[in-house]
Amino acid sequence: MTAIKICGVKDPEIYELLATLKVNWVGLVFYESSPRFISIDQVRQLPDYYNEGISRVGLFVKPTLDEVKRVLETVRLDILQLYTTPEIAQTIRETFDVPVWLAKGIKERSDLPKTCSIDGLVIEAPPNHSDSRPGGNGRTFDWQLTSAWNAPKPWLLAGGLTPENVVQAIQQSGAKAVDVSSGVERRKGEKDPTLIRQFIQNIRTIDFNQS
């Protein structure tokens, strides 16, 4: 089964839907410049479906240790997804003893990591100079770049995925896990239940046909 992460969740109703649909991960964005930013107080108002197998992934952009500590002291996060250097990611991993995924933008096969000292990778398109965010920009890359990649750690395919293209993306990339945010929104920062259902249904259909 293809693992699924829905990122940028802010609303309790969407969180409850994701529990019903049995996604693997819910992404919470702790980056104030993002339209998907969620405050600590808002997170505390969300339901907690840990016992139902849904893990919380906290997304941080170039965080300090204090920033991560402040969140972890207040809310439960199962994984940290970081936009930072590998060295800082490793330091955060060792400091807090929480699994860490490192986000990595790629343009060509040589950009794919050959080694990885943390727990996982999120592979997406790199940001343009004009982008205000390092990720979540709804941009795809050549999915075939990862098709023969001997990945050093488990990884998720991200960037520009939608209900319409996710099957092709999985087939071309060889991804065993996918991460979507803007592709299931009716407008920036506002998740669309219909698009979420379509996205997940399309993935489950291909999983069933290949089983």
Side-chain angles (χ1 to χ4, degrees):
M1 293 284 287
T2 304
I4 299 172
K5 172 173 174 272
I6 308 294
C7 194
V9 175
K10 297 189 293 184
D11 301 317
E13 295 80 7
I14 294 296
Y15 206 141
E16 291 169 5
L17 172 63
L18 299 182
T20 300
L21 297 174
K22 299 187 183 303
V23 303
N24 302 86
W25 305 286
V26 170
L28 307 173
V29 178
F30 297 98
Y31 180 53
E32 292 187 9
S33 296
S34 171
R36 303 165 190 102
F37 169 72
I38 189 167
S39 68
I40 291 175
D41 286 342
Q42 286 176 302
V43 175
R44 294 173 69 180
Q45 296 173 26
L46 294 176
D48 191 338
Y49 292 107
Y50 178 75
N51 292 331
E52 297 184 32
I54 300 179
S55 296
R56 287 180 171 182
V57 181
L59 186 152
F60 297 82
V61 176
K62 297 180 180 179
T64 64
L65 290 176
D66 285 343
E67 289 171 342
V68 176
K69 179 181 179 181
R70 185 168 63 251
V71 175
L72 290 177
E73 286 180 338
T74 311
V75 299
R76 181 185 60 78
L77 296 177
D78 304 295
I79 299 166
L80 306 178
Q81 179 178 333
L82 306 180
Y83 287 84
T84 187
T85 65
E87 294 77 16
I88 293 176
Q90 176 66 19
T91 298
I92 290 174
R93 175 70 173 86
E94 293 172 352
T95 301
F96 299 106
D97 195 27
V98 176
V100 168
W101 295 345
L102 183 64
K104 174 70 174 176
I106 68 164
K107 285 186 177 179
E108 51 193 42
R109 196 177 296 273
S110 61
D111 294 328
L112 290 167
K114 296 180 177 61
T115 62
C116 180
S117 62
I118 40 85
D119 304 275
L121 297 159
V122 179
I123 303 299
E124 61 186 351
N128 290 335
H129 293 301
S130 59
D131 290 336
S132 60
R133 302 183 303 276
N137 295 303
R139 189 175 300 114
T140 63
F141 65 96
D142 181 359
W143 297 315
Q144 295 185 9
L145 293 177
T146 61
S147 61
W149 177 36
N150 184 20
K153 289 292 175 68
W155 63 282
L156 295 83
L157 177 68
L161 299 179
T162 67
E164 291 74 26
N165 69 17
V166 69
V167 169
Q168 180 184 7
I170 292 170
Q171 292 172 333
Q172 292 187 1
S173 69
K176 303 300 183 184
V178 294
D179 183 354
V180 67
S181 186
S182 62
V184 290
E185 292 179 344
R186 58 169 61 98
R187 60 184 63 89
K188 281 188 178 181
E190 185 178 339
K191 294 291 184 285
D192 186 316
T194 299
L195 292 177
I196 289 173
R197 290 180 182 276
Q198 290 174 348
F199 185 85
I200 294 172
Q201 179 59 45
N202 290 347
I203 294 172
R204 296 304 180 223
T205 298
I206 187 177
D207 285 342
F208 177 80
N209 291 336
Q210 291 178 346
S211 62

